C-alpha cells in the first residue's frame, strides 16, 4: 500500500530474481478501473506476467483510453460483467491457458466464490490462505504475515495448512529453510489460551514431518519473535527468535491488525497472494500502490515458476 516512503530494495531483489524468467500467462478478472488495469499492464511491461484481460471489452478499452493506458496487443476475453469475468478467468486457469489468477476491480468475495466452486473452481487438498509479503523498513528481510484475510478462526489443522502454504511460498522466494514464528500473547503454554496450545502442537507436527521444509517455534509473543534481545531477556533459546521469515497469526483479526499496523505505523509496503489453490492468486486492493501491485506480480511469477519446476522435476 502507498505510504509515501521510498522502498528499501527488498522488493527490487524479487524483481531481479524474475529478470531471467519468461512472463507467466495471467488471467486478470475484470480490470475495469484505472489502477487494476494499469497494474496488470505495467507488470507486463516489466516482463513479469502475460496478461489475459477478462471483462467487458468495450469498458476495458474505454478506461484505457481515458487514462492513456497502452493495451498494445494484450488479449481481451469479452464477458458481460464481473461475475462472468471471475468464472471465465478461473476457467482459463483450469484449461491451462493461465498459470496465475489476478484480481481486477471486482469484490474479493466474488472472485473467491468462483475459485472455491466445488465443480468448477481451483481448490486443492490444501486449505486456502492469504499471505501479506511485507517490506518493513525496520526489518532486515522480507517478512510474510499469514493469515490476515481469509481464515477467520482457523483450527489446528487449518493452521498447519496455512503454515505449509507460507513455507512453500518462502522457498519459492529463495529462502532455503524458512523460519516460522507462531504468534500468541505470551511465550509460555497456557491451557486457557488456545493459541499457545496450537503453537506447541504445530511445532511437534513439524518434528513429525506433518509440516515440511521450515523451522518452527512457538508460542512466541511478538517482541520475542522479532527481537533477539527480548527473547534473550526472557531466557528463550531459539533459531527463530529475532530472525523469522514468517509470522503465523493466531486468527484473522490478529493477522490483519498486525499487517496494517506495519503498513501504517512502520511505513511497510505489502504484496498480497492467495495460496493453497491450483495457481497463485494475486489479491490487490484499490489502495495498493503500483509498486505493491508489481511486487505481488513478481511474487506470483516466482511461485508459478517454482511450481513448473516441481512438475518437471
Amino acid at each position: 500500500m502507498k505510504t509515501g516512503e521510498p522502498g528499501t530494495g527488498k522488493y527490487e531483489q524479487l524483481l531481479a530474481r524474475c529478470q531471467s524468467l519468461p512472463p507467466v500467462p495471467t488471467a486478470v478478472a475484470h480490470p475495469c478501473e484505472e489502477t487494476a488495469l494499469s497494474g496488470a499492464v505495467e507488470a507486463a511491461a516489466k516482463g513479469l506476467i502475460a496478461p489475459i484481460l477478462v471483462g467487458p471489452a468495450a469498458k476495458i478499452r474505454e478506461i484505457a483510453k481515458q487514462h492513456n493506458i497502452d493495451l498494445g496487443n494484450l488479449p481481451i476475453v469479452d464477458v458481460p460483467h464481473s461475475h462472468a469475468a471471475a468464472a471465465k478467468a478461473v476457467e482459463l486457469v483450469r484449461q491451462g491457458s493461465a498459470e496465475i489468477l489476478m484480481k481486477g476491480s471486482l469484490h474479493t468475495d466474488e472472485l473467491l466464490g468462483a475459485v472455491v466452486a466445488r465443480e468448477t473452481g481451483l481448490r486443492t487438498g490444501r486449505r486456502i490462505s492469504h499471505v501479506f509479503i511485507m517490506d518493513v523498513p525496520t526489518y532486515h528481510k522480507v517478512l510474510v504475515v499469514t493469515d490476515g484475510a481469509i481464515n477467520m478462526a482457523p483450527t489446528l489443522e487449518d493452521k498447519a495448512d496455512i503454515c505449509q502454504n507460507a513455507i512453500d511460498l518462502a522457498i519459492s522466494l529463495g529462502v532455503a529453510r524458512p523460519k516460522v514464528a507462531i504468534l500468541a500473547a505470551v511465550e509460555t503454554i497456557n491451557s486457557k489460551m488456545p493459541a499457545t496450545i496450537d503453537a506447541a502442537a504445530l511445532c511437534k507436527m513439524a518434528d513429525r514431518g506433518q509440516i515440511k521444509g521450515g523451522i518452527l517455534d512457538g508460542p512466541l509473543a511478538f517482541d520475542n519473535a522479532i527481537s533477539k534481545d527480548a527473547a534473550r531477556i526472557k531466557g528463550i533459546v531459539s533459531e527463530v527468535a529475532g530472525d523469522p521469515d514468517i509470522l503465523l497469526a493466531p486468527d484473522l483479526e490478529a493477522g490483519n491488525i498486525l499487517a496494517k499496523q506495519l503498513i501504517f505505523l512502520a511505513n511497510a509496503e505489502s504484496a498480497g497472494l492467495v495460496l493453497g489453490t491450483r495457481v497463485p492468486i494475486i489479491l490487490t486492493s484499490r489502495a495498493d500502490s503500483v509498486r505493491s501491485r508489481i511486487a505481488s506480480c513478481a511474487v506470483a511469477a516466482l511461485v508459478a515458476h517454482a511450481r513448473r519446476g516441481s512438475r518437471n522435476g
Side-chain angles (χ1 to χ4, degrees), residues 100-190:
I100 296 172
L101 180 62
M102 183 174 183
K103 178 192 168 192
S105 54
L106 73 176
H107 288 293
T108 298
D109 287 350
E110 195 169 13
L111 181 62
L112 292 183
V115 168
V116 302
R118 188 171 298 276
E119 299 298 328
T120 57
L122 301 175
R123 279 187 178 276
T124 66
R126 193 81 68 77
R127 182 80 179 180
I128 294 173
S129 62
H130 179 273
V131 291
F132 288 105
I133 304 100
M134 310 206 74
D135 180 350
V136 186
T138 53
Y139 195 63
H140 56 282
K141 55 184 172 179
V142 169
L143 189 62
V144 174
V145 176
T146 191
D147 176 341
I150 292 180
N151 293 283
M152 293 185 190
T155 65
L156 173 62
E157 291 77 14
D158 293 339
K159 288 179 181 179
D161 278 354
I162 292 167
C163 185
Q164 191 67 65
N165 286 343
I167 289 170
D168 293 348
L169 167 74
I171 291 171
S172 298
L173 301 183
V175 182
R177 195 159 171 77
K179 298 177 181 179
V180 184
I182 307 164
L183 298 180
V186 296
E187 66 280 354
T188 53
I189 296 168
N190 185 331

Coordinates of all heavy atoms in Angstrom, one line a residue, residues 100-190:
I100 N -1.5 -18.0 -13.4 CA -1.8 -17.1 -12.3 C -3.2 -16.5 -12.5 O -3.6 -16.2 -13.6 CB -0.7 -15.9 -12.3 CG1 0.7 -16.5 -12.0 CG2 -1.1 -14.9 -11.2 CD1 1.8 -15.4 -12.1
L101 N -3.9 -16.3 -11.4 CA -5.1 -15.5 -11.4 C -4.9 -14.2 -10.7 O -4.3 -14.2 -9.6 CB -6.2 -16.4 -10.7 CG -7.6 -15.8 -10.6 CD1 -8.2 -15.6 -12.0 CD2 -8.5 -16.7 -9.8
M102 N -5.4 -13.1 -11.3 CA -5.2 -11.8 -10.7 C -6.5 -11.1 -10.6 O -7.4 -11.1 -11.5 CB -4.3 -11.0 -11.6 CG -3.9 -9.6 -11.1 SD -2.7 -8.8 -12.1 CE -2.4 -7.3 -11.2
K103 N -6.8 -10.6 -9.4 CA -8.0 -9.8 -9.1 C -7.9 -8.5 -9.8 O -6.9 -7.8 -9.7 CB -8.2 -9.6 -7.6 CG -9.4 -8.8 -7.2 CD -9.3 -8.4 -5.7 CE -10.4 -7.4 -5.4 NZ -10.2 -6.8 -4.1
G104 N -9.0 -8.1 -10.5 CA -9.1 -6.8 -11.0 C -9.9 -5.9 -10.1 O -9.5 -5.7 -8.9
S105 N -11.0 -5.3 -10.6 CA -11.7 -4.3 -9.8 C -13.0 -4.9 -9.2 O -13.9 -4.2 -8.8 CB -12.0 -3.0 -10.6 OG -12.7 -3.4 -11.8
L106 N -13.2 -6.2 -9.2 CA -14.3 -6.8 -8.6 C -14.1 -7.1 -7.1 O -13.0 -7.0 -6.7 CB -14.7 -8.1 -9.3 CG -13.8 -9.4 -9.1 CD1 -14.4 -10.6 -9.9 CD2 -12.4 -9.2 -9.6
H107 N -15.2 -7.4 -6.4 CA -15.0 -7.7 -5.0 C -14.3 -9.0 -4.8 O -14.4 -10.0 -5.5 CB -16.4 -7.8 -4.3 CG -17.0 -6.4 -4.2 ND1 -16.6 -5.4 -3.4 CD2 -18.2 -5.9 -4.8 CE1 -17.4 -4.4 -3.5 NE2 -18.3 -4.7 -4.3
T108 N -13.5 -9.1 -3.7 CA -12.7 -10.3 -3.4 C -13.6 -11.5 -3.3 O -13.3 -12.6 -3.8 CB -11.9 -10.1 -2.1 OG1 -11.0 -9.0 -2.3 CG2 -11.2 -11.3 -1.7
D109 N -14.8 -11.3 -2.6 CA -15.7 -12.4 -2.4 C -16.2 -13.0 -3.7 O -16.4 -14.2 -3.8 CB -16.9 -12.0 -1.5 CG -16.5 -11.7 -0.1 OD1 -15.4 -12.1 0.3 OD2 -17.4 -11.2 0.7
E110 N -16.4 -12.1 -4.7 CA -16.9 -12.5 -6.0 C -15.8 -13.4 -6.7 O -16.2 -14.5 -7.2 CB -17.2 -11.3 -6.8 CG -18.1 -11.6 -8.0 CD -18.6 -10.4 -8.7 OE1 -18.1 -9.3 -8.4 OE2 -19.5 -10.5 -9.6
L111 N -14.6 -13.0 -6.6 CA -13.5 -13.8 -7.2 C -13.3 -15.1 -6.5 O -13.3 -16.2 -7.1 CB -12.2 -13.0 -7.2 CG -11.0 -13.7 -7.9 CD1 -11.3 -14.0 -9.4 CD2 -9.8 -12.9 -7.7
L112 N -13.3 -15.0 -5.2 CA -13.0 -16.3 -4.4 C -14.2 -17.2 -4.5 O -14.1 -18.4 -4.4 CB -12.7 -15.9 -3.0 CG -11.4 -15.2 -2.7 CD1 -11.1 -15.0 -1.2 CD2 -10.2 -16.0 -3.4
G113 N -15.4 -16.7 -4.7 CA -16.6 -17.5 -4.9 C -16.4 -18.5 -6.1 O -16.7 -19.6 -6.1
A114 N -15.8 -17.9 -7.2 CA -15.5 -18.7 -8.4 C -14.4 -19.7 -8.1 O -14.4 -20.8 -8.6 CB -15.2 -17.8 -9.6
V115 N -13.4 -19.2 -7.3 CA -12.3 -20.1 -7.0 C -12.6 -21.3 -6.2 O -12.1 -22.4 -6.4 CB -11.2 -19.2 -6.2 CG1 -10.1 -20.1 -5.7 CG2 -10.6 -18.2 -7.2
V116 N -13.6 -21.2 -5.2 CA -13.9 -22.3 -4.3 C -15.1 -23.1 -4.8 O -15.5 -24.1 -4.2 CB -14.2 -21.8 -2.9 CG1 -13.0 -21.0 -2.4 CG2 -15.4 -20.9 -2.9
A117 N -15.7 -22.7 -6.0 CA -16.8 -23.5 -6.5 C -16.4 -25.0 -6.6 O -15.3 -25.3 -7.1 CB -17.2 -23.0 -7.9
R118 N -17.3 -25.9 -6.1 CA -16.9 -27.3 -5.9 C -16.5 -28.0 -7.3 O -15.5 -28.7 -7.4 CB -18.1 -28.0 -5.3 CG -17.7 -29.5 -4.9 CD -18.9 -30.1 -4.1 NE -19.1 -29.3 -2.8 CZ -18.4 -29.5 -1.7 NH1 -17.4 -30.4 -1.7 NH2 -18.7 -28.8 -0.6
E119 N -17.3 -27.7 -8.3 CA -17.1 -28.5 -9.6 C -16.2 -27.7 -10.5 O -15.5 -28.3 -11.4 CB -18.4 -28.8 -10.3 CG -19.4 -29.6 -9.4 CD -18.8 -31.0 -9.2 OE1 -18.1 -31.5 -10.0 OE2 -19.1 -31.6 -8.1
T120 N -16.2 -26.4 -10.5 CA -15.5 -25.6 -11.5 C -14.4 -24.7 -11.0 O -13.8 -23.9 -11.7 CB -16.5 -24.7 -12.2 OG1 -17.2 -23.8 -11.2 CG2 -17.6 -25.5 -12.9
G121 N -14.1 -24.8 -9.7 CA -13.1 -23.9 -9.0 C -11.7 -24.4 -9.1 O -11.3 -25.3 -9.9
L122 N -10.9 -23.9 -8.2 CA -9.4 -24.2 -8.2 C -8.9 -24.7 -6.9 O -7.8 -24.6 -6.5 CB -8.7 -22.8 -8.5 CG -9.0 -22.1 -9.8 CD1 -8.3 -20.8 -9.9 CD2 -8.7 -23.0 -11.0
R123 N -9.8 -25.4 -6.1 CA -9.4 -26.0 -4.9 C -8.4 -27.1 -5.0 O -8.4 -27.8 -6.1 CB -10.6 -26.5 -4.1 CG -11.5 -25.5 -3.4 CD -12.5 -26.2 -2.6 NE -13.3 -25.2 -1.8 CZ -13.0 -24.8 -0.6 NH1 -11.9 -25.1 -0.1 NH2 -13.8 -24.0 0.0
T124 N -7.6 -27.3 -4.0 CA -6.7 -28.5 -3.9 C -7.1 -29.1 -2.6 O -8.1 -28.8 -1.9 CB -5.3 -28.1 -3.9 OG1 -5.0 -27.3 -2.7 CG2 -4.9 -27.2 -5.1
G125 N -6.3 -30.1 -2.2 CA -6.5 -30.7 -0.9 C -6.0 -29.8 0.3 O -6.3 -30.1 1.5
R126 N -5.4 -28.7 0.0 CA -4.8 -27.8 1.0 C -5.8 -26.7 1.3 O -6.6 -26.2 0.5 CB -3.6 -27.2 0.4 CG -2.6 -26.4 1.3 CD -1.7 -27.3 2.1 NE -0.7 -28.0 1.4 CZ 0.5 -27.5 0.9 NH1 0.7 -26.2 1.0 NH2 1.4 -28.3 0.4
R127 N -5.8 -26.3 2.6 CA -6.7 -25.1 3.0 C -6.2 -23.9 2.2 O -5.0 -23.6 2.1 CB -6.5 -24.9 4.5 CG -7.4 -23.8 5.0 CD -8.8 -24.2 5.2 NE -9.6 -23.1 5.8 CZ -10.9 -23.3 6.0 NH1 -11.5 -24.4 5.8 NH2 -11.6 -22.3 6.5
I128 N -7.1 -23.1 1.7 CA -6.8 -21.8 1.1 C -6.4 -20.8 2.1 O -7.1 -20.7 3.2 CB -8.0 -21.3 0.2 CG1 -8.2 -22.3 -0.9 CG2 -7.7 -19.9 -0.3 CD1 -9.5 -21.9 -1.7
S129 N -5.4 -20.0 1.9 CA -4.9 -19.0 2.9 C -4.4 -17.8 2.1 O -4.0 -17.8 1.0 CB -3.9 -19.6 3.9 OG -2.8 -20.0 3.2
H130 N -4.2 -16.7 2.9 CA -3.7 -15.4 2.4 C -2.4 -15.1 3.0 O -2.2 -15.4 4.2 CB -4.7 -14.3 2.6 CG -4.2 -13.0 2.1 ND1 -3.4 -12.1 2.9 CD2 -4.4 -12.3 0.9 CE1 -3.2 -11.0 2.2 NE2 -3.8 -11.1 1.0
V131 N -1.5 -14.5 2.3 CA -0.2 -14.0 2.8 C 0.0 -12.6 2.4 O -0.3 -12.2 1.3 CB 1.0 -14.9 2.3 CG1 1.0 -16.3 2.9 CG2 1.1 -14.9 0.8
F132 N 0.4 -11.8 3.4 CA 1.0 -10.5 3.1 C 2.5 -10.6 3.0 O 3.1 -11.2 4.0 CB 0.7 -9.5 4.3 CG -0.7 -9.0 4.4 CD1 -1.6 -9.5 5.3 CD2 -1.2 -8.1 3.5 CE1 -2.9 -9.1 5.4 CE2 -2.5 -7.6 3.6 CZ -3.4 -8.1 4.5
I133 N 3.1 -10.3 1.9 CA 4.6 -10.3 1.8 C 5.0 -8.8 2.0 O 4.7 -8.0 1.2 CB 5.0 -10.8 0.4 CG1 4.4 -12.2 0.1 CG2 6.5 -10.9 0.3 CD1 3.2 -12.2 -0.7
M134 N 5.7 -8.6 3.1 CA 5.9 -7.2 3.6 C 7.4 -6.8 3.5 O 8.3 -7.5 3.9 CB 5.4 -7.1 5.0 CG 4.0 -7.7 5.2 SD 3.1 -7.0 6.5 CE 2.7 -5.4 5.9
D135 N 7.5 -5.6 3.0 CA 8.8 -4.9 3.0 C 8.7 -3.9 4.1 O 8.2 -2.8 4.0 CB 9.0 -4.2 1.7 CG 10.4 -3.5 1.6 OD1 11.0 -3.3 2.6 OD2 10.7 -3.0 0.5
V136 N 9.3 -4.3 5.3 CA 9.2 -3.4 6.5 C 10.6 -2.7 6.6 O 11.6 -3.4 6.8 CB 9.0 -4.2 7.8 CG1 8.8 -3.3 9.0 CG2 7.7 -5.1 7.6
P137 N 10.7 -1.4 6.6 CA 11.9 -0.7 6.6 C 12.8 -1.0 7.8 O 14.0 -1.0 7.8 CB 11.5 0.8 6.6 CG 10.2 0.8 5.9 CD 9.5 -0.4 6.3
T138 N 12.2 -1.3 8.9 CA 12.9 -1.6 10.2 C 13.3 -3.1 10.4 O 13.8 -3.4 11.4 CB 12.1 -1.1 11.4 OG1 10.8 -1.7 11.3 CG2 12.0 0.4 11.4
Y139 N 13.0 -3.9 9.4 CA 13.3 -5.3 9.5 C 14.3 -5.7 8.4 O 14.2 -5.1 7.3 CB 12.0 -6.2 9.4 CG 12.2 -7.6 9.8 CD1 12.6 -7.9 11.2 CD2 12.0 -8.7 8.9 CE1 12.7 -9.2 11.6 CE2 12.2 -10.0 9.3 CZ 12.6 -10.3 10.7 OH 12.8 -11.6 11.1
H140 N 15.1 -6.7 8.6 CA 16.3 -6.9 7.7 C 16.0 -7.8 6.5 O 16.9 -8.0 5.7 CB 17.4 -7.5 8.5 CG 17.0 -8.8 9.3 ND1 16.3 -8.8 10.4 CD2 17.3 -10.1 9.0 CE1 16.2 -10.1 10.9 NE2 16.7 -10.9 10.0
K141 N 14.8 -8.3 6.4 CA 14.4 -9.1 5.2 C 12.9 -9.1 4.9 O 12.2 -8.5 5.8 CB 14.9 -10.5 5.4 CG 14.4 -11.3 6.6 CD 15.0 -12.7 6.7 CE 14.7 -13.3 8.0 NZ 15.3 -14.7 8.1
V142 N 12.5 -9.6 3.8 CA 11.1 -9.7 3.5 C 10.4 -10.5 4.6 O 10.9 -11.6 5.0 CB 10.9 -10.4 2.1 CG1 9.4 -10.7 1.9 CG2 11.3 -9.4 1.0
L143 N 9.3 -10.1 5.0 CA 8.5 -10.7 6.1 C 7.1 -11.1 5.6 O 6.4 -10.3 5.1 CB 8.4 -9.8 7.3 CG 7.9 -10.3 8.6 CD1 8.8 -11.4 9.2 CD2 7.7 -9.1 9.6
V144 N 6.8 -12.4 5.8 CA 5.5 -12.9 5.4 C 4.6 -13.0 6.7 O 5.0 -13.5 7.7 CB 5.6 -14.3 4.8 CG1 4.2 -14.9 4.5 CG2 6.5 -14.3 3.5
V145 N 3.4 -12.4 6.6 CA 2.4 -12.4 7.6 C 1.2 -13.2 7.1 O 0.6 -12.9 6.1 CB 2.0 -11.0 8.1 CG1 0.9 -11.0 9.1 CG2 3.2 -10.2 8.6
T146 N 0.7 -14.2 7.9 CA -0.4 -15.0 7.5 C -1.1 -15.5 8.7 O -0.6 -15.6 9.8 CB 0.1 -16.2 6.7 OG1 -1.0 -16.9 6.0 CG2 0.9 -17.2 7.5
D147 N -2.5 -15.7 8.7 CA -3.4 -15.3 7.6 C -4.2 -14.2 8.1 O -4.8 -14.3 9.1 CB -4.3 -16.6 7.3 CG -5.3 -16.3 6.2 OD1 -5.7 -15.1 6.0 OD2 -5.8 -17.3 5.7
G148 N -4.2 -13.1 7.3 CA -4.9 -11.9 7.8 C -6.1 -11.5 6.9 O -6.6 -10.4 6.9
A149 N -6.6 -12.5 6.1 CA -7.6 -12.1 5.1 C -8.7 -13.2 4.8 O -9.8 -12.8 4.3 CB -7.0 -11.7 3.8
I150 N -8.4 -14.4 5.1 CA -9.4 -15.5 4.7 C -9.9 -16.3 5.8 O -11.1 -16.4 6.0 CB -8.7 -16.4 3.6 CG1 -8.5 -15.6 2.3 CG2 -9.6 -17.6 3.3 CD1 -7.9 -16.4 1.2
N151 N -9.0 -16.9 6.6 CA -9.5 -17.8 7.6 C -9.7 -17.1 9.0 O -8.8 -16.7 9.6 CB -8.4 -18.9 7.8 CG -8.3 -19.8 6.6 OD1 -9.1 -20.7 6.4 ND2 -7.2 -19.6 5.8
M152 N -11.0 -17.0 9.3 CA -11.3 -16.1 10.5 C -10.9 -16.8 11.8 O -10.2 -16.1 12.6 CB -12.9 -15.9 10.5 CG -13.4 -15.1 9.4 SD -15.2 -14.8 9.6 CE -15.6 -14.1 8.0
A153 N -11.2 -18.0 12.0 CA -10.8 -18.7 13.3 C -10.3 -20.0 12.9 O -11.0 -21.1 13.1 CB -12.0 -18.8 14.2
P154 N -9.1 -20.1 12.4 CA -8.6 -21.4 11.9 C -8.4 -22.4 13.0 O -7.9 -22.1 14.1 CB -7.2 -21.0 11.3 CG -6.8 -19.7 12.0 CD -8.1 -19.0 12.3
T155 N -8.7 -23.7 12.7 CA -8.4 -24.8 13.6 C -7.0 -25.1 13.5 O -6.2 -24.6 12.7 CB -9.3 -26.0 13.1 OG1 -8.8 -26.4 11.8 CG2 -10.8 -25.7 13.1
L156 N -6.5 -26.1 14.4 CA -5.2 -26.5 14.3 C -4.8 -27.1 12.9 O -3.7 -26.7 12.4 CB -4.9 -27.6 15.4 CG -3.6 -28.3 15.4 CD1 -2.4 -27.3 15.6 CD2 -3.5 -29.4 16.4
E157 N -5.7 -27.9 12.4 CA -5.4 -28.4 11.1 C -5.4 -27.4 10.0 O -4.5 -27.4 9.1 CB -6.5 -29.5 10.7 CG -6.4 -30.8 11.5 CD -7.0 -30.6 12.9 OE1 -7.7 -29.6 13.2 OE2 -6.7 -31.5 13.8
D158 N -6.2 -26.3 10.1 CA -6.2 -25.2 9.2 C -4.8 -24.5 9.3 O -4.2 -24.1 8.3 CB -7.3 -24.2 9.5 CG -8.7 -24.7 9.2 OD1 -8.8 -25.7 8.4 OD2 -9.6 -24.2 9.8
K159 N -4.4 -24.3 10.5 CA -3.1 -23.6 10.8 C -1.9 -24.4 10.2 O -1.0 -23.8 9.7 CB -2.9 -23.3 12.2 CG -3.8 -22.3 12.8 CD -3.5 -22.1 14.3 CE -4.5 -21.0 14.9 NZ -4.3 -20.8 16.4
A160 N -2.0 -25.7 10.2 CA -1.0 -26.5 9.6 C -0.9 -26.2 8.1 O 0.2 -26.1 7.6 CB -1.2 -28.0 9.9
D161 N -2.0 -26.1 7.4 CA -2.0 -25.8 6.0 C -1.6 -24.4 5.7 O -0.8 -24.1 4.8 CB -3.4 -26.0 5.4 CG -3.7 -27.5 5.1 OD1 -2.8 -28.3 5.2 OD2 -4.9 -27.8 4.7
I162 N -2.1 -23.5 6.6 CA -1.7 -22.1 6.4 C -0.2 -21.9 6.5 O 0.5 -21.2 5.8 CB -2.4 -21.2 7.5 CG1 -3.9 -21.1 7.2 CG2 -1.8 -19.8 7.5 CD1 -4.7 -20.6 8.4
C163 N 0.4 -22.6 7.5 CA 1.9 -22.6 7.7 C 2.6 -23.2 6.5 O 3.6 -22.7 6.0 CB 2.2 -23.4 9.0 SG 3.9 -23.4 9.5
Q164 N 2.1 -24.4 6.0 CA 2.8 -25.1 4.9 C 2.7 -24.2 3.7 O 3.7 -24.1 2.9 CB 2.1 -26.4 4.6 CG 2.9 -27.3 3.7 CD 4.2 -27.7 4.2 OE1 4.3 -28.5 5.2 NE2 5.3 -27.2 3.6
N165 N 1.5 -23.6 3.4 CA 1.4 -22.7 2.3 C 2.5 -21.6 2.3 O 3.1 -21.2 1.3 CB 0.0 -22.0 2.3 CG -1.1 -23.0 1.8 OD1 -0.8 -24.0 1.2 ND2 -2.3 -22.6 2.1
A166 N 2.7 -21.0 3.5 CA 3.6 -19.9 3.7 C 5.1 -20.4 3.5 O 5.9 -19.7 2.9 CB 3.4 -19.2 5.0
I167 N 5.4 -21.6 4.1 CA 6.7 -22.1 3.9 C 7.0 -22.4 2.4 O 8.1 -22.0 1.9 CB 6.8 -23.4 4.7 CG1 6.8 -23.1 6.2 CG2 8.1 -24.2 4.3 CD1 6.7 -24.4 7.1
D168 N 6.1 -23.0 1.7 CA 6.3 -23.2 0.3 C 6.5 -21.9 -0.5 O 7.3 -21.8 -1.4 CB 5.1 -24.0 -0.3 CG 4.9 -25.4 0.3 OD1 5.9 -25.9 0.9 OD2 3.9 -26.0 0.0
L169 N 5.8 -20.9 -0.1 CA 5.9 -19.6 -0.7 C 7.4 -19.0 -0.5 O 8.0 -18.6 -1.4 CB 4.9 -18.6 -0.2 CG 5.2 -17.1 -0.5 CD1 4.9 -16.8 -2.0 CD2 4.5 -16.1 0.4
A170 N 7.8 -19.1 0.8 CA 9.1 -18.5 1.1 C 10.2 -19.3 0.4 O 11.2 -18.7 0.0 CB 9.3 -18.6 2.7
I171 N 10.0 -20.6 0.3 CA 11.0 -21.4 -0.5 C 11.1 -20.9 -2.0 O 12.1 -20.8 -2.6 CB 10.7 -22.9 -0.4 CG1 11.0 -23.4 1.0 CG2 11.5 -23.7 -1.4 CD1 10.5 -24.8 1.3
S172 N 9.9 -20.6 -2.5 CA 9.8 -20.1 -3.9 C 10.5 -18.8 -4.0 O 11.1 -18.4 -5.1 CB 8.3 -19.9 -4.3 OG 7.6 -21.1 -4.3
L173 N 10.6 -18.0 -2.9 CA 11.3 -16.7 -3.0 C 12.8 -16.8 -2.7 O 13.5 -15.8 -2.6 CB 10.6 -15.8 -1.9 CG 9.1 -15.5 -2.1 CD1 8.7 -14.5 -1.1 CD2 8.8 -15.0 -3.5
G174 N 13.3 -18.0 -2.5 CA 14.7 -18.2 -2.4 C 15.2 -18.5 -1.0 O 16.4 -18.5 -0.7
V175 N 14.2 -18.6 0.0 CA 14.6 -18.9 1.4 C 14.8 -20.4 1.5 O 13.8 -21.2 1.3 CB 13.6 -18.4 2.4 CG1 14.0 -18.7 3.8 CG2 13.3 -16.9 2.2
A176 N 16.0 -20.9 1.8 CA 16.2 -22.3 1.8 C 15.4 -23.1 2.9 O 14.8 -24.1 2.6 CB 17.7 -22.6 2.0
R177 N 15.4 -22.6 4.1 CA 14.7 -23.2 5.2 C 14.0 -22.1 6.0 O 14.5 -21.6 7.0 CB 15.6 -24.0 6.0 CG 14.9 -25.0 7.0 CD 15.9 -26.1 7.4 NE 15.4 -27.0 8.4 CZ 14.4 -27.9 8.2 NH1 13.9 -28.1 7.0 NH2 14.0 -28.7 9.3
P178 N 12.8 -21.8 5.6 CA 12.1 -20.6 6.3 C 11.9 -20.8 7.8 O 11.5 -21.9 8.2 CB 10.7 -20.6 5.5 CG 11.0 -21.3 4.2 CD 12.0 -22.3 4.5
K179 N 12.0 -19.7 8.5 CA 11.8 -19.7 9.9 C 10.4 -19.2 10.2 O 10.1 -18.1 9.8 CB 12.9 -18.9 10.6 CG 14.3 -19.5 10.4 CD 15.3 -18.6 11.1 CE 16.7 -19.2 10.9 NZ 17.8 -18.3 11.5
V180 N 9.6 -19.9 11.0 CA 8.2 -19.6 11.3 C 8.1 -19.3 12.7 O 8.3 -20.1 13.6 CB 7.3 -20.7 10.9 CG1 5.8 -20.3 11.1 CG2 7.5 -21.1 9.4
A181 N 7.7 -18.0 13.1 CA 7.3 -17.7 14.4 C 5.8 -17.8 14.6 O 5.1 -17.1 13.9 CB 7.8 -16.3 14.8
I182 N 5.4 -18.7 15.5 CA 3.9 -18.9 15.7 C 3.5 -18.0 16.9 O 4.0 -18.2 18.0 CB 3.6 -20.3 16.0 CG1 4.2 -21.2 14.9 CG2 2.1 -20.6 16.1 CD1 4.3 -22.7 15.3
L183 N 2.7 -16.9 16.6 CA 2.5 -15.9 17.5 C 1.4 -16.2 18.5 O 0.4 -16.8 18.1 CB 2.1 -14.6 16.7 CG 3.2 -14.0 15.8 CD1 2.7 -12.8 15.1 CD2 4.5 -13.7 16.6
A184 N 1.5 -15.7 19.7 CA 0.5 -15.7 20.7 C 0.8 -14.4 21.6 O 1.7 -13.6 21.3 CB 0.5 -17.0 21.5
A185 N 0.0 -14.3 22.6 CA 0.2 -13.1 23.5 C 1.4 -13.4 24.5 O 1.9 -12.4 25.0 CB -1.1 -12.8 24.3
V186 N 1.7 -14.6 24.7 CA 2.8 -15.0 25.6 C 3.6 -16.1 25.0 O 3.3 -16.7 24.0 CB 2.2 -15.5 26.9 CG1 1.5 -14.4 27.7 CG2 1.3 -16.7 26.7
E187 N 4.8 -16.3 25.6 CA 5.7 -17.3 25.0 C 5.6 -18.6 25.8 O 6.4 -19.6 25.5 CB 7.1 -16.8 25.0 CG 7.7 -16.6 26.4 CD 7.3 -15.3 27.0 OE1 6.6 -14.4 26.4 OE2 7.6 -15.0 28.2
T188 N 4.8 -18.7 26.8 CA 4.6 -19.9 27.5 C 3.3 -20.6 27.2 O 2.3 -19.9 26.8 CB 4.6 -19.6 29.1 OG1 3.7 -18.6 29.4 CG2 6.0 -19.2 29.5
I189 N 3.2 -21.9 27.4 CA 2.0 -22.6 27.1 C 1.0 -22.5 28.2 O 1.3 -22.8 29.4 CB 2.3 -24.1 26.8 CG1 3.2 -24.2 25.5 CG2 1.0 -24.9 26.5 CD1 3.8 -25.5 25.3
N190 N -0.2 -22.2 27.9 CA -1.3 -21.9 28.9 C -2.6 -22.5 28.3 O -3.1 -22.1 27.3 CB -1.4 -20.4 29.1 CG -2.4 -20.1 30.3 OD1 -3.4 -20.9 30.5 ND2 -2.2 -19.0 31.0

